[in-house]
């Protein structure tokens, strides 16, 4: 669970062009709603997570999307 939260918050920080040291404690993570909120900036982002082999990939975005996590392109055979 901690890894999922970390990945989602890190994706939000990258989306906002922020810095881990300054923004990490300002992001609120809501797993059920798939939402991230920046307390100081009042930013509301959605997120999606994909588990691919041993990786946890998180995407942060403003608009709702029809992301299909089943579709991943990869150049290596696993």
């Amino acid at each position: 669970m901690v890894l999922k939260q970390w990945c989602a918050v890190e994706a939000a920080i990258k989306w906002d062009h922020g810095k881990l040291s300054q923004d990490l404690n300002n992001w609120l993570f809501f797993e059920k709603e798939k939402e991230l909120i920046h307390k100081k900036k009042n930013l509301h982002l959605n997120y999606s997570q994909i588990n691919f082999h041993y990786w946890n990939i998180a995407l942060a975005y403003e608009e709702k999307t029809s992301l299909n996590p089943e579709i991943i392109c990869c150049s290596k055979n696993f």
Side-chain angles (χ1 to χ4, degrees), residues 40-74:
K40 288 186 178 179
K41 296 180 181 179
N42 196 29
L43 285 173
H44 293 251
L45 298 178
N46 300 296
Y47 73 91
S48 294
Q49 292 188 305
I50 302 165
N51 293 312
F52 179 66
H53 289 275
Y54 298 107
W55 298 319
N56 187 312
I57 302 165
L59 306 168
Y61 44 87
E62 280 184 297
E63 301 293 326
K64 293 283 185 189
T65 183
S66 58
L67 175 70
N68 183 350
E70 303 297 321
I71 300 172
I72 297 178
C73 298
C74 182

Side-chain angles (χ1 to χ4, degrees), residues 1-54:
M1 182 60 187
V2 173
L3 181 59
K4 286 183 178 185
Q5 181 176 354
W6 174 266
C7 289
V9 170
E10 188 175 11
I13 291 170
K14 288 178 180 178
W15 179 92
D16 190 38
H17 302 285
K19 296 186 180 197
L20 278 173
S21 61
Q22 295 174 353
D23 293 307
L24 184 62
N25 291 328
N26 291 309
W27 283 100
L28 301 173
F29 171 82
F30 299 96
E31 181 184 21
K32 194 174 196 178
E33 297 84 358
K34 298 290 186 198
E35 186 177 21
L36 299 156
I37 298 173
H38 193 288
K39 294 184 287 190
K40 288 186 178 179
K41 296 180 181 179
N42 196 29
L43 285 173
H44 293 251
L45 298 178
N46 300 296
Y47 73 91
S48 294
Q49 292 188 305
I50 302 165
N51 293 312
F52 179 66
H53 289 275
Y54 298 107

